Amino acid sequence: MTASSAAPAPSEKGAEVGRRIGVGLMYGLWKPRVLGAWRVPATGPVIYAVNHAHNIDGPMVMGVAPRPTHFLIKKEAFVGPLGRFLTGIGQLKVDRHSADRAAIGQALGVLADGGVLGIFPEGTRGEGDFASLRAGLAYFAVRSGAPIVPVAVLGSTDRPGRLIKALPPLRSRVDVVFGDPFDAGDGSGRRTRKALDEATERIQKQLTAHLENARRLTGR
């Protein structure tokens, strides 16, 4: 990727603005219960690995996390005013159907600058149980050396709202549980296909264990 083709770096100030907007919206519309936020390293690069069962999961994490977050978000969401807004608050547009070099460069840049990158490792919205992981998370973790913090969002799909069926009921409780940071690599620094496959397997075990623990903690 040449300098001329490189996408502009996502705005750290924009991500902080997004976090503040998220705080107001998430706590205004619902009742987030946040557990384990103290586990997130206060400085340095971090990758949030977030389960994804509902469209509010990303904004919820943005609003309750202790640090501003740059999420990798499917390019289909970047349409019209919403697209300009997402870019303005430091979010990253990614083409899920190709090796998006611009998005990869931006994401690695966030980590190189000591920022927080948010990833839905399942690739798309589903059951939110980390059952099917893509290799992207392992690549970013192994390439950057950044620790992964597992994040479980629970309660967003319990039942539809009465006013807006596509959203959880207003003022309902949504739990966000942050886990212990861990390294995905084996310490060798290898980025071969075999190393990434092994890292993906380690990641899946950690994320699945965290989700089970989060469900026990929250009773969900």
Side-chain angles (χ1 to χ4, degrees):
M1 182 170 58
T2 64
S4 61
S5 65
S11 167
E12 182 72 14
K13 289 183 179 178
E16 173 59 22
V17 170
R19 190 184 73 83
R20 293 179 184 182
I21 293 172
V23 168
L25 283 175
M26 297 303 111
Y27 283 95
L29 296 175
W30 295 285
K31 294 181 178 178
R33 180 173 63 170
V34 184
L35 303 173
W38 56 270
R39 294 188 170 99
V40 177
T43 59
V46 172
I47 300 173
Y48 292 153
V50 186
N51 68 323
H52 194 23
H54 196 285
N55 284 330
I56 74 158
D57 295 342
M60 182 64 69
V61 173
M62 283 181 63
V64 304
R67 295 173 59 185
T69 308
H70 303 272
F71 266 102
L72 280 168
I73 299 173
K74 62 183 181 181
K75 70 174 186 178
E76 290 84 356
F78 286 76
V79 177
L82 176 60
R84 291 190 290 274
F85 172 72
L86 290 173
T87 299
I89 60 170
Q91 306 309 294
L92 310 179
K93 176 171 61 175
V94 62
D95 184 346
R96 297 174 299 167
H97 307 295
S98 69
D100 190 334
R101 293 188 177 187
I104 291 169
Q106 284 188 309
L108 290 173
V110 165
L111 297 171
D113 290 340
V116 179
L117 180 67
I119 294 179
F120 301 112
E122 295 157 292
T124 187
R125 184 160 47 92
E127 295 300 317
D129 58 1
F130 293 125
S132 177
L133 262 61
R134 296 192 174 189
L137 175 56
Y139 174 82
F140 287 120
V142 172
R143 174 81 182 266
S144 67
I148 295 173
V149 172
V151 186
V153 182
L154 302 171
S156 58
T157 59
D158 282 358
R159 63 189 193 280
R162 284 184 290 180
L163 293 177
I164 305 175
K165 298 293 185 185
L167 295 175
L170 298 180
R171 306 308 297 157
S172 62
R173 197 186 84 210
V174 177
D175 292 322
V176 182
V177 186
F178 293 86
D180 290 316
F182 66 92
D183 292 322
D186 60 4
S188 69
R190 293 179 302 125
R191 299 202 295 265
T192 62
R193 171 60 61 186
K194 184 172 185 290
L196 292 178
D197 287 345
E198 291 171 352
T200 298
E201 190 173 331
R202 280 191 290 273
I203 290 168
Q204 187 154 28
K205 288 179 181 177
Q206 292 272 12
L207 298 187
T208 300
H210 171 66
L211 185 58
E212 290 172 356
N213 184 55
R215 284 174 171 156
R216 282 195 298 270
L217 281 173
T218 60
R220 290 189 181 270

